Amino acid sequence: MKEFLGKSVSKGIAIGNMKYMAPKHPTVNKVTIQDTEAEIARFEAAKKEAISDLQKLYQSAVLKVGKQHAAIFDIHAMLLEDINFNNSIVEMISNQKVNAEYAVWTAGERLVGMFAGMEDDSFQAKSADIKDISERVIRILQGADASNEFGDEPVILLAEVLSPSETVQMDKENILSFVIRYGSAGSHTAILARTMEIPALVGVEFDAGDSGHLCVVDGYEGKLIVDPDEEVLKTYRSKKQADDESKSLLMELKGKENITKSGRKIRLYANIGKPEDLDSVFQNDADGIGLFRSEFLFLDKTDYPTEDEQFEAYKKVVESMDGKKVIIRTMDIGADKQVDYFHLDKEDNPALGCRAIRICLSRPEIFKTQLRAIYRASAYGNLSIMYPMIISEEEVIKIKEISRSVRDELIAEGFPIGKVEEGIMIETPAAAIISDKLAQMVDFFSIGTNDLSQYTLAIDRGNDKLDEFFDPYHPALFHLIQMVIENGHKAGIWVGICGELGADTQMTATFIKMGIDELSVAPGAVLSVRKAIRETE
Ligand code: PEP
Ligand code: MG
């Protein structure tokens, strides 16, 4: 039995087998080797394993998505057999006496460079295929479970880092818990784990060699216990049962009002990233969607989602909510949410860089497509729009101009449009400080405490090394929140919180006392916040 300590970013207990997910883009070092024959044999064995993985993937994909879409795995297997690719690897190992990983990587990069430089789109796509197959072989050579695919049983996923785009592509059915070596509580991956309602730990120095072993994740104490003995297993099984029972006790609050003892009603909404999260919104009985992080529709794609694709996703959410409020936040790409096809410049400080509304205002064609999709969906329910990362009145003026022109254009084209409230996120100190002015221009404020803390305290929310300096209850933050609420109310608009602090039940009474009108939290936190509201004087 081995125990590793980390930091819990999503509570709960998970018991199951671990699966180490090798980094998608492995790091390769050049090593000089003596026995070239053995190294070539190592390469051949890894290639054989990769081909067999690809054949299995092809078979299961045929069943799930049909022959046409499954064909990519077949093509990858064929590319791996390509005689020129293979010869260049074998020659490099023999002539230069380098390790197989390095030879595969170099041969792959050469081909990637060649295809990427060609005009024709199909050759460019081929360069991505080559990268994929060489990385697959390298992962096997490095001893990782290369398939990175999931079997029938859900697993506890171990990863070095997990980007929001990788996390969002994961199927909740496959994952019992995340255990990540590098990561922070404020990261979007941690937020996604809370949305998926699965326990998650970060900062755990796990041993990747334990992949496949049974383990326990204690998302209360921040512990990973590998190969637990019978006694420990028994203790955790009963803790898990107690956990499930307290969740079902909370379920008794379903259908009850979010009202304090003195009769103040608070709107309690849920945060989602994709239409699939709606199940958990209904299970936990949220009054509406206070934050639909629309960028997640962009993250699991290889190209811009079309107006129609976006429209279908927004329509599904707004229709399913059946008249309850749905606030769609326009896409907040940038910082930790990078998407290759946006071709954003590499930045030294991406959190302070071209992110969210800044991308929308500098690339209005992307913004307009999204706004068209949102306005078209507005005909199907109660929809509002919210704009992220605002710092000035000028931005709001520009946004409203674009939004109005999109709306007018759609009306002229004959599309039905609903009544749409437009609000902004207050997540920069600048917006909080000028909130008296901004409140005159919009219908509501939603305070993004995740970014507001990051920018107020000058602490990168993704940097786990700064945890000791991070105070989620810093008086400066509360000062700004109070100011925003007062300025909003003076202008007659409602003010909510959609950052993670809104789900902190230790703060519920404080926020209510400060005058907050709405709290929007991860779906799994709705009922515990309802309980806290109902216990507030
Ligand atoms: C926030 O910053 O508090 C917020 C809700 O937005 P995100 O976490 O997606 O940046
Ligand atoms: Mg934010």
Side-chain angles (χ1 to χ4, degrees):
M1 185 166 87
K2 289 192 276 189
E3 197 173 295
F4 300 88
L5 283 183
K7 186 172 176 203
S8 166
V9 293
S10 179
K11 295 194 173 68
I13 306 285
I15 303 170
N17 285 331
M18 301 190 289
K19 178 179 171 67
Y20 175 61
M21 192 175 91
K24 189 154 172 22
H25 305 298
T27 314
V28 173
N29 295 318
K30 183 177 181 181
V31 179
T32 306
I33 47 108
Q34 299 307 325
D35 189 347
T36 54
E37 289 300 310
E39 201 60 13
I40 291 168
R42 211 162 72 80
F43 160 65
E44 294 292 350
K47 186 179 83 180
K48 208 167 143 201
E49 192 177 327
I51 292 174
S52 141
D53 283 344
L54 285 162
Q55 284 162 346
K56 280 189 220 142
L57 277 173
Y58 173 75
Q59 299 299 349
S60 73
V62 167
L63 297 177
K64 283 191 200 154
V65 291
K67 263 194 180 162
Q68 195 193 349
H69 294 294
I72 186 70
F73 297 118
D74 215 20
I75 295 170
H76 279 195
M78 270 166 11
L79 282 173
L80 259 178
E81 312 248 39
D82 179 82
I83 193 88
N84 293 328
F85 181 55
N86 275 272
N87 283 350
S88 65
I89 293 166
V90 170
E91 275 167 23
M92 209 180 304
I93 297 174
S94 314
N95 301 341
Q96 298 178 24
K97 292 189 182 308
V98 291
N99 52 326
E101 288 88 333
Y102 182 75
V104 173
W105 182 77
T106 314
E109 284 300 291
R110 228 179 260 154
L111 280 178
V112 166
M114 199 176 91
F115 286 127
M118 294 182 180
E119 287 279 298
D120 190 327
D121 278 359
S122 64
F123 283 116
Q124 298 220 358
K126 210 162 178 182
S127 95
D129 292 333
I130 300 285
K131 200 167 174 61
D132 226 72
I133 58 164
S134 47
E135 287 180 345
R136 182 178 287 278
V137 176
I138 291 168
R139 286 199 296 268
I140 298 178
L141 285 164
Q142 291 181 337
D145 176 355
S147 68
N148 276 357
E149 273 89 32
F150 296 92
D152 295 335
E153 286 293 309
V155 291
I156 289 168
L157 192 86
L158 308 182
E160 302 295 330
V161 282
L162 211 49
S163 70
S165 57
E166 283 170 315
T167 319
V168 78
Q169 288 178 56
M170 281 176 194
D171 202 337
K172 196 176 159 179
E173 310 293 294
N174 292 325
I175 317 280
L176 297 169
S177 164
F178 291 127
V179 177
I180 303 166
R181 200 185 302 275
Y182 308 102
S184 74
S187 68
H188 282 93
T189 300
I191 291 173
L192 281 167
R194 292 192 282 271
T195 306
M196 289 163 90
E197 292 182 63
I198 56 174
L201 311 180
V202 295
V204 182
E205 284 296 335
F206 59 77
D207 181 350
D210 290 334
S211 188
H213 289 223
L214 180 70
C215 78
V216 170
V217 173
D218 179 342
Y220 295 101
E221 304 280 327
K223 275 190 219 162
L224 168 72
I225 304 164
V226 179
D227 297 325
D229 59 31
E230 259 319 305
E231 198 152 327
V232 169
L233 260 182
K234 208 170 132 205
T235 313
Y236 275 103
R237 282 198 183 112
S238 55
K239 272 194 187 173
K240 188 162 167 27
Q241 199 180 343
D243 225 32
D244 294 343
E245 280 162 13
S246 59
K247 268 191 197 148
S248 46
L249 268 181
L250 274 179
M251 286 294 159
E252 288 176 8
L253 289 175
K254 275 175 86 163
K256 301 244 161 86
E257 276 191 306
N258 307 303
I259 188 163
T260 64
K261 288 185 175 160
S262 58
R264 247 197 87 200
K265 285 190 189 166
I266 306 294
R267 298 189 221 168
L268 183 53
Y269 294 162
N271 296 346
I272 63 165
K274 333 181 250 187
E276 288 84 334
D277 297 333
L278 281 172
D279 285 349
S280 143
V281 172
F282 298 131
Q283 262 162 36
N284 292 289
D285 191 33
D287 294 345
I289 307 291
L291 167 64
F292 179 173
R293 288 183 163 95
S294 68
E295 60 275 10
F296 286 114
L297 298 178
F298 291 69
L299 286 188
D300 62 355
K301 290 263 171 331
T302 49
D303 204 349
Y304 297 97
T306 61
E307 177 184 319
D308 280 345
E309 270 176 79
Q310 291 187 59
F311 162 69
E312 290 300 336
Y314 305 145
K315 177 174 169 244
K316 177 158 189 216
V317 173
V318 86
E319 259 186 343
S320 313
M321 290 307 288
D322 198 18
K324 290 183 174 167
K325 202 172 196 55
V326 174
I327 304 177
I328 300 180
R329 176 194 47 207
T330 56
M331 57 102 183
D332 182 2
I333 298 287
D336 64 334
K337 287 175 286 197
Q338 292 291 337
V339 185
D340 290 348
Y341 59 86
F342 270 66
H343 301 296
L344 297 174
D345 289 338
K346 271 243 161 312
E347 296 173 305
D348 286 341
N349 291 303
L352 302 180
C354 195
R355 171 183 171 186
I357 204 67
R358 299 174 185 175
I359 299 181
C360 290
L361 290 176
S362 49
R363 301 185 44 193
E365 68 292 352
I366 301 176
F367 191 33
K368 282 184 183 162
T369 304
Q370 178 166 36
L371 287 175
R372 278 182 64 93
I374 297 177
Y375 271 116
R376 281 175 55 194
S378 71
Y380 297 85
N382 179 358
L383 193 150
S384 305
I385 312 179
M386 162 159 96
Y387 304 101
M389 284 293 289
I390 298 298
I391 56 166
S392 71
E393 289 173 80
E394 290 71 25
E395 282 171 345
V396 179
I397 292 169
K398 278 191 204 143
I399 290 166
K400 289 185 89 173
E401 254 171 42
I402 297 174
S403 156
R404 202 173 313 120
S405 76
V406 166
R407 207 174 152 271
D408 292 348
E409 194 177 276
L410 286 167
I411 291 171
E413 289 172 33
F415 284 102
I417 305 284
K419 187 176 174 305
V420 176
E421 281 196 345
E422 284 177 284
I424 55 171
M425 292 193 66
I426 302 288
E427 53 182 348
T428 63
I433 292 164
I434 60 162
S435 53
D436 55 338
K437 305 269 188 325
L438 296 173
Q440 319 282 337
M441 312 172 79
V442 295
D443 299 316
F444 64 91
F445 282 159
S446 186
I447 305 174
T449 48
N450 308 335
D451 278 313
L452 190 59
S453 320
Q454 139 160 288
Y455 298 124
T456 304
L457 305 180
I459 287 186
D460 175 356
R461 64 193 269 192
N463 187 341
D464 49 339
K465 305 218 168 47
L466 299 174
D467 277 359
E468 63 173 302
F469 299 102
F470 183 72
D471 173 7
Y473 309 122
H474 195 291
L477 181 66
F478 279 75
H479 192 83
L480 290 177
I481 295 175
Q482 183 69 74
M483 195 167 131
V484 173
I485 297 174
E486 282 170 13
N487 284 334
H489 287 175
K490 264 187 227 154
I493 64 171
W494 64 265
V495 182
I497 294 180
C498 64
E500 295 297 293
L501 200 60
D504 184 338
T505 48
Q506 287 181 64
M507 286 295 119
T508 310
T510 308
F511 290 139
I512 293 174
K513 207 162 149 212
M514 288 167 87
I516 207 75
D517 303 294
E518 177 245 24
L519 293 168
S520 190
V521 301
V526 166
L527 292 173
S528 56
V529 176
R530 175 168 299 165
K531 182 167 178 280
I533 293 172
R534 294 172 66 86
E535 285 167 358
T536 299
E537 281 307 321

